[in-house]
Amino acid sequence: MTYTPKRWIRLGLGAALLGTAGLSACGGEGGETGETAIASTAGAAQSGDMAGEMGEGEGGEGAVAPLDPALLVPVDQRAAMIASEAAVGAALSRAGERDAAAEHFRLAISEIKPGGLSRLAEKGLDPDLFDAAAEALEDGAGPLETETAVAAVETNVDELQANAGGDTVELIIFLMKRCENAYRSGVTFSNEIDNPVAYQKAWGYAVTAQELANKLDPEEASGLQLELKMLVLMWPAEGPVSGDVPAPPSTFLSQLSRIGLELSTLE
């Protein structure tokens, strides 16, 4: 197997993950916040770019002007995050967990307001569809009405991602970082689900990464496609449903490491 040094450095996978004894019960899920075993030099460079964008404020030379964090995340990455939340909402809705599903449809939109919303709307995002799906779930709408609302969100997400574009491999790297962060926040050292929402988010990131990988040429990405499939199989077939017993932390980290090895071979 041939490794791409640039990609390997950006990933920060492999040895760092295999050397992690377990998952933190109190780590942040946010992806832009908290320390993660997949944090890399690319993350540090991104922070520097963010500081440069913020520039000098009105308070005087050297002052840093406040800037909405939503503006600092590229549209393609934000679209992938929304797709991940929508995937969780759809899976939980079909599993009969209506309240949890509604929460993720609302999180998909609330987490990107206000700064990133207009940019995403330009790419096709329709926030009203997410609200409609959440309301159908919360108000006890019938199965047909609920499924119609959920399917409308999925169609909108497909359109959004197509318009947002982005480098597929880079988006998978981004989602794997967030997946690891979410798992850290959701699962304790004793292998129990401490934060169900974060644990559900981790599944969403994994599934969205798998869907992106399946669009790559199988001749080049068959290994990555297989390893992402194995990652998703750590959750039940229905998705991150309640009552699930999470995969052991060591197993989860080892699988992320294998995904990192495969990603490092792709240009």
Side-chain angles (χ1 to χ4, degrees):
M1 182 178 292
T2 302
Y3 301 112
T4 305
K6 181 179 178 181
R7 189 78 72 186
W8 181 260
I9 292 172
R10 182 175 292 112
L11 285 166
L13 296 171
L17 284 176
L18 294 174
T20 304
L23 300 179
S24 169
C26 59
E29 185 276 323
E32 290 89 24
T33 61
E35 194 170 328
T36 170
I38 309 182
S40 64
T41 55
Q46 183 182 43
S47 297
D49 292 342
M50 289 179 181
E53 284 187 54
M54 294 174 76
E56 296 182 359
E58 297 179 357
E61 185 177 353
V64 177
L67 186 61
D68 186 343
L71 295 174
L72 301 175
V73 181
V75 170
D76 59 335
Q77 293 182 359
R78 191 62 70 177
M81 291 169 62
I82 291 175
S84 300
E85 292 284 7
V88 177
L92 293 177
S93 174
R94 289 163 184 150
E97 300 190 17
R98 300 175 68 98
D99 290 341
E103 182 175 8
H104 282 281
F105 283 127
R106 295 203 182 281
L107 283 173
I109 301 302
S110 65
E111 290 187 347
I112 57 96
K113 287 182 178 177
L117 191 57
S118 60
R119 294 184 303 152
L120 290 161
E122 292 172 357
K123 299 296 183 180
L125 176 67
D126 186 349
D128 292 342
L129 294 177
F130 290 77
D131 289 335
E135 289 171 4
L137 289 159
E138 293 166 344
D139 296 343
L144 180 58
E145 181 181 348
T146 300
E147 178 58 26
T148 299
V150 170
V153 169
E154 292 178 312
T155 299
N156 186 237
V157 165
D158 289 342
E159 177 186 358
L160 171 64
Q161 286 188 286
N163 293 338
D167 181 275
T168 299
V169 174
E170 294 295 338
L171 283 173
I172 294 172
I173 293 172
F174 170 76
L175 289 168
M176 287 298 94
K177 291 178 182 179
R178 296 194 68 90
C179 181
E180 193 263 354
N181 256 6
Y183 207 93
R184 281 177 173 272
S185 183
V187 180
T188 66
F189 283 112
S190 56
N191 197 33
E192 296 178 351
I193 299 176
D194 183 56
N195 184 337
V197 172
Y199 183 67
Q200 292 157 0
K201 281 174 173 280
W203 178 85
Y205 298 135
V207 165
T208 302
Q210 181 187 32
E211 292 174 350
L212 287 170
N214 288 341
K215 297 177 181 179
L216 297 171
D217 184 352
E219 292 187 5
E220 297 181 358
S222 60
L224 174 63
Q225 292 165 349
L226 175 61
E227 296 302 347
L228 282 166
K229 179 180 180 179
M230 297 303 295
L231 177 67
V232 172
L233 287 175
M234 291 184 179
W235 284 267
E238 301 83 1
V241 294
S242 60
D244 178 31
V245 177
S250 59
T251 303
F252 175 81
L253 292 173
S254 294
Q255 187 59 33
L256 285 186
S257 178
R258 285 190 285 272
I259 291 170
L261 289 171
E262 294 296 336
L263 283 166
S264 71
T265 68
L266 300 176
E267 291 291 349

